[in-house]
Amino acid sequence: MTGKAKPKKHTAKEIASKVDAATTNRGGGKAGLADRSGIEKGGHAKYECPHCKTTAPDVKSMQIHHDARHPKIPFDESKLNNLHASNVVDPAKAKPGVRGSFKK
């Protein structure tokens, strides 16, 4: 019987969520750098800003970046560098992972 002052034990749901958080690739850190850069696997970063070389996954995100960082320069979609067009991805390589893990 648990009282008000007694701390509760860890629940199965809490432990399962901790295991999931520890073993799932969220795309961050050193392992996720290759996914985010878009160089090796054709990752999440598809477009590159021609002014500051910042990458974005789609045109809408790039337009938001452009309006915030370069308000005096008019936005022109044709000037964006498409990183996926210049990079041929090997189909044998794994796709960028957001979910899933090799730690299991």
Side-chain angles (χ1 to χ4, degrees):
M1 187 164 91
T2 58
K4 291 183 181 178
K6 284 189 172 182
K8 292 186 178 180
K9 304 283 185 191
H10 294 284
T11 61
K13 181 180 177 183
E14 181 185 2
I15 292 171
S17 69
K18 286 183 179 184
V19 169
D20 180 55
T23 59
T24 302
N25 179 10
R26 305 282 183 200
K30 194 172 186 179
L33 183 64
D35 291 347
R36 294 190 305 271
S37 65
I39 295 170
E40 194 173 308
K41 299 183 192 175
H44 304 292
K46 183 172 182 179
Y47 294 103
E48 184 180 56
C49 179
H51 308 294
C52 64
K53 306 298 183 195
T54 300
T55 56
D58 56 3
V59 176
K60 184 155 178 87
S61 298
M62 184 53 71
Q63 186 171 7
I64 292 168
H65 157 78
H66 193 278
D67 292 342
R69 301 291 179 202
H70 317 290
K72 295 181 181 178
I73 304 169
F75 179 72
D76 187 11
E77 190 177 328
S78 63
K79 290 184 180 179
L80 298 178
N81 300 330
N82 187 345
L83 299 175
H84 288 192
S86 62
N87 186 19
V88 178
V89 179
D90 184 18
K93 286 189 178 180
K95 296 289 183 200
V98 176
R99 294 282 301 174
S101 173
F102 295 116
K103 291 185 178 180
K104 292 181 183 175

